[in-house]
Amino acid sequence: MIEVLKVKPIMTQEKAEAYEGEMLGDNDYIKLINYDCDVFCEETGQLLAKFRKNQIDKKLIVDSFPAFVEAAKPNANRGAAAGKIDGDKMRYFKVKKDGTMSKTSVTKVANSGVMGFMDRSIRVPYCRTTEYTTNNISKYEKCLPIIKLVSAKFKELVPDKWQYQKDYCDRTSQDFVINDTVFTTITVNKNWQTACHTDKGDLDGGFGNLVVMRKGKYTGGYFVLVKWGIAFDLQNSDILFTDVHQIHGNTPIHKLTDDATRISLVMYYRENMIACGVS
């Protein structure tokens, strides 16, 4: 039985946006969802999330877990998700070894890497296969069954959003699309409580596809949609389809064993990939 839940906002959009860069606490949600559920905004009818339990074969998780863990590297360019550093600042300029100030701003470091493909940026002015994928192709291939499965579940459960992303993928150079999916890129986070943020760079009008892989024992790490005060508890083999353009973040991760590991996967189409291969 799939529960259909209609929720009212518990704050204005302006107040929700004021949470950007803030860390959530264990009590920063009203309702915790740990069962199959479709969630809609009661006021607008907007689909906020579809949560499904036990969607991924555990063997796929065991086979791919080491590769995903390795992909989550220290990263100092994660924007608001990295949290505030001092007061309201979320980026700062490092002092170089020669004592001069770097011209490139950075964020707090998080264990967060990317698989698949990336579009052009100021730092790297060309589309490319990510470094991890290039250097670890056999490990990357072990991750593909889960990525393809999530795309198939996305098509089944949120077909309009899937088709929207599929249309973009069909118009994109296939050199920069993950085969048999509607994704170009996978962000992999390890033991990272993200601060409140909206996802940047992914397709406006697309939808977030989230999976959490767990090892050891811990509590927390719930995914929270701040404006509605709802949280989701993702266990191994669960999938969350959600509007990542809404302010969201995680509750604290409380380790109960030394080996406790939380790997979160965010699968998406990067909006500017459609221009890759176009001079």
Side-chain angles (χ1 to χ4, degrees):
M1 175 75 69
I2 310 299
E3 179 174 331
V4 176
L5 181 65
K6 296 182 179 181
V7 292
K8 291 183 178 180
I10 63 171
M11 63 183 71
T12 63
Q13 180 65 22
E14 182 179 15
K15 186 172 181 180
E17 291 174 355
Y19 271 80
E20 186 175 50
E22 299 289 349
M23 291 292 185
L24 296 174
D26 290 315
N27 299 315
D28 280 326
Y29 60 91
I30 293 172
K31 185 174 183 62
L32 178 64
I33 297 171
N34 56 7
Y35 49 87
D36 291 353
C37 189
D38 295 348
V39 185
F40 296 86
C41 176
E42 184 174 313
E43 293 184 351
T44 66
Q46 170 189 6
L47 174 64
L48 299 176
K50 289 196 174 186
F51 184 50
R52 294 295 185 271
K53 303 284 295 177
N54 303 315
Q55 298 295 299
I56 303 172
D57 187 283
K58 287 184 170 54
K59 186 178 185 303
L60 295 182
I61 295 173
V62 171
D63 290 346
S64 61
F65 189 83
F68 282 123
V69 169
E70 190 174 327
K73 301 290 188 183
N75 187 327
N77 190 32
R78 287 311 317 270
K84 295 181 179 179
I85 300 162
D86 181 22
D88 291 331
K89 294 181 180 179
M90 286 180 274
R91 303 190 72 91
Y92 67 100
F93 294 91
K94 295 178 69 173
V95 177
K96 296 189 290 187
K97 291 181 179 179
D98 64 4
T100 62
M101 191 72 71
S102 170
K103 294 182 180 179
T104 303
S105 65
V106 296
T107 65
K108 291 163 65 175
V109 175
N111 286 319
S112 179
V114 286
M115 289 180 166
F117 309 98
M118 290 293 289
D119 53 330
R120 301 178 181 94
S121 67
I122 294 175
R123 297 180 181 182
V124 186
Y126 53 84
C127 299
R128 71 259 185 216
T129 304
T130 64
E131 181 180 358
Y132 176 84
T133 305
T134 299
N135 295 337
N136 301 277
I137 191 65
S138 62
K139 295 177 181 178
Y140 170 70
E141 287 174 348
K142 290 184 177 180
C143 301
L144 289 176
I146 282 184
I147 299 169
K148 292 178 180 180
L149 173 64
V150 172
S151 183
K153 293 290 184 181
F154 183 28
K155 180 180 181 181
E156 174 188 340
L157 292 167
V158 197
D160 56 335
K161 295 293 187 181
W162 179 91
Q163 188 62 56
Y164 187 74
Q165 290 189 199
K166 178 69 162 53
D167 291 344
Y168 270 81
C169 286
D170 289 345
R171 293 156 51 203
T172 300
S173 168
Q174 297 306 292
D175 291 337
F176 302 107
V177 176
I178 299 173
N179 290 340
D180 300 321
T181 78
V182 291
F183 311 128
T184 61
T185 314
I186 314 298
T187 294
V188 186
N189 304 320
K190 177 185 175 184
N191 289 350
W192 180 29
Q193 179 195 0
T194 63
C196 293
H197 66 287
T198 58
D199 287 11
K200 300 292 194 298
D202 63 326
L203 182 62
D204 188 21
F207 224 52
N209 291 227
L210 281 70
V211 171
V212 168
M213 307 172 75
R214 302 167 61 112
K215 179 181 178 182
K217 294 182 179 181
Y218 67 84
T219 60
Y222 303 144
F223 177 96
V224 181
L225 288 172
V226 175
K227 184 176 178 179
W228 292 269
I230 54 173
F232 299 87
D233 180 13
L234 281 85
Q235 300 289 327
N236 274 334
S237 78
D238 302 344
I239 305 177
L240 176 64
F241 306 97
T242 188
D243 185 355
V244 291
H245 300 105
Q246 303 296 329
I247 294 285
H248 61 276
N250 296 116
T251 62
I253 301 166
H254 303 290
K255 287 190 172 187
L256 302 179
T257 59
D258 290 340
D259 66 342
T261 306
R262 180 185 187 274
I263 296 294
S264 65
L265 314 175
V266 186
M267 308 181 188
Y268 55 103
Y269 177 97
R270 287 191 65 82
E271 189 160 50
N272 292 331
M273 300 298 285
I274 199 167
C276 292
V278 178
S279 60

